[in-house]
Amino acid sequence: MKMLVTLRRLGMVVFQATADVENIDHICAISERFLRQECGEVDTFDLSLALREALSNAMLHGCAGRQGAKVFCELTLTDDVLTVLVRDPGPGFDWRALPRREPEPDDEHGRGFHLIRAHADTVNFNEAGNELTFSKRYDCAGRPQSSVSATEDGITFRPGRDLVASTVEGVRVEIAGLLAESESRLTMDLDGVGMVDSLGMGLFVSVHNTLRACGGGLSLINVAPRIHALLHAMRLT
């Protein structure tokens, strides 16, 4: 059984997975997508390689012989620094005894930790040795940026990214900050928004209902034709 549970929050993605090596591919793919969504088109090679090595160690060694054992993994992006934590349920090992030298060319094993250290800025273990944390700084200047402008009709908010499951909560937090300023009318400029899923539509309805209770409402502008067709099909126009 290859169980994988994913939780996505603002600036964070969390996994819990059984020790099936096929899950490594899924976790790395979701993690790369998370980093690109948060940071724009950055190079994800270092993240993917270091994460693969950490997960492989946790699953093949930390979970060895433990029926139904699960690996915990958490990625957090704060101030352009991505921090990755991988924890297994095993007793750990003496990480202090890890050799500092690289393995010999004819060694068949022992390269994992050296690859992590070579592709991360910092690498740390907990005391027991069953939890590894590594971090790497990224230039997130290319990340999707929202913008806010004031008009005679209220505030115009441009999310600057698709409104889908992985982004809705972050956008909701930004809008909540705007509504806290006692605005009763909000215009969302969907220029550059290429996809809105059911959670994005739910966000529109939630914001509109909140504003309508104050005598205002939500307006959408620059809506792509396909998104307009979806809203029309859901009777949201």
Side-chain angles (χ1 to χ4, degrees):
M1 180 180 179
K2 301 175 178 62
M3 186 276 289
L4 172 64
V5 176
T6 308
L7 173 64
R8 179 73 158 82
R9 296 173 179 166
L10 180 62
M12 175 187 294
V13 61
V14 179
F15 306 94
Q16 188 176 41
T18 50
D20 296 284
V21 291
E22 292 89 346
N23 280 331
I24 296 175
D25 293 334
H26 299 309
I27 293 174
C28 287
I30 295 171
S31 297
E32 290 182 38
R33 187 161 64 247
F34 160 76
L35 182 59
R36 290 194 178 105
Q37 288 171 343
E38 293 290 331
C39 254
E41 288 302 314
V42 296
D43 187 349
T44 60
F45 180 85
D46 289 347
L47 164 64
S48 185
L49 181 57
L51 181 56
R52 283 180 180 279
E53 296 300 330
L55 290 169
S56 294
N57 285 334
M59 290 184 181
L60 298 178
H61 302 296
C63 294
R66 293 175 172 78
Q67 187 70 25
K70 300 179 182 65
V71 169
F72 176 85
C73 177
E74 177 183 284
L75 285 77
T76 307
L77 184 70
T78 305
D79 296 332
D80 295 353
V81 175
L82 181 69
T83 302
V84 179
L85 182 150
V86 176
R87 182 172 64 243
D88 64 66
F93 74 109
D94 185 6
W95 50 270
R96 301 169 188 82
L98 284 170
R100 303 299 296 180
R101 65 171 181 82
E102 295 180 357
E104 296 298 326
D106 57 353
D107 288 345
E108 296 184 11
H109 305 286
R111 292 181 173 83
F113 175 67
H114 295 280
L115 288 174
I116 296 173
R117 190 170 60 188
H119 291 83
D121 295 334
T122 66
V123 181
N124 295 286
F125 287 94
N126 68 348
E127 186 66 23
N130 66 343
E131 179 180 291
L132 180 150
T133 303
F134 68 86
S135 68
K136 187 169 181 64
R137 177 173 291 279
Y138 287 90
D139 180 4
C140 295
R143 71 170 62 179
Q145 294 288 334
S146 60
S147 61
V148 179
S149 59
T151 67
E152 294 180 357
D153 297 325
I155 288 180
T156 297
F157 173 72
R158 185 173 182 269
R161 54 196 182 276
D162 292 347
L163 298 174
V164 293
S166 60
T167 63
V168 161
E169 288 309 309
V171 174
R172 189 188 304 275
V173 170
E174 292 186 74
I175 291 176
L178 297 176
L179 300 186
E181 300 175 3
S182 301
E183 293 291 340
S184 62
R185 295 209 58 82
L186 179 69
T187 298
M188 289 188 67
D189 183 350
L190 302 190
D191 183 31
V193 176
M195 175 63 69
V196 177
D197 67 6
S198 60
L199 293 179
M201 295 179 195
L203 174 67
F204 293 154
V205 175
S206 173
V207 172
H208 180 68
N209 288 343
T210 298
L211 292 171
R212 185 171 57 181
C214 302
L218 171 68
S219 300
L220 306 179
I221 62 173
N222 293 323
V223 183
R226 288 186 175 181
I227 295 176
H228 186 277
L230 286 175
L231 296 174
H232 182 72
M234 294 293 102
R235 298 180 296 168
L236 297 179
T237 52

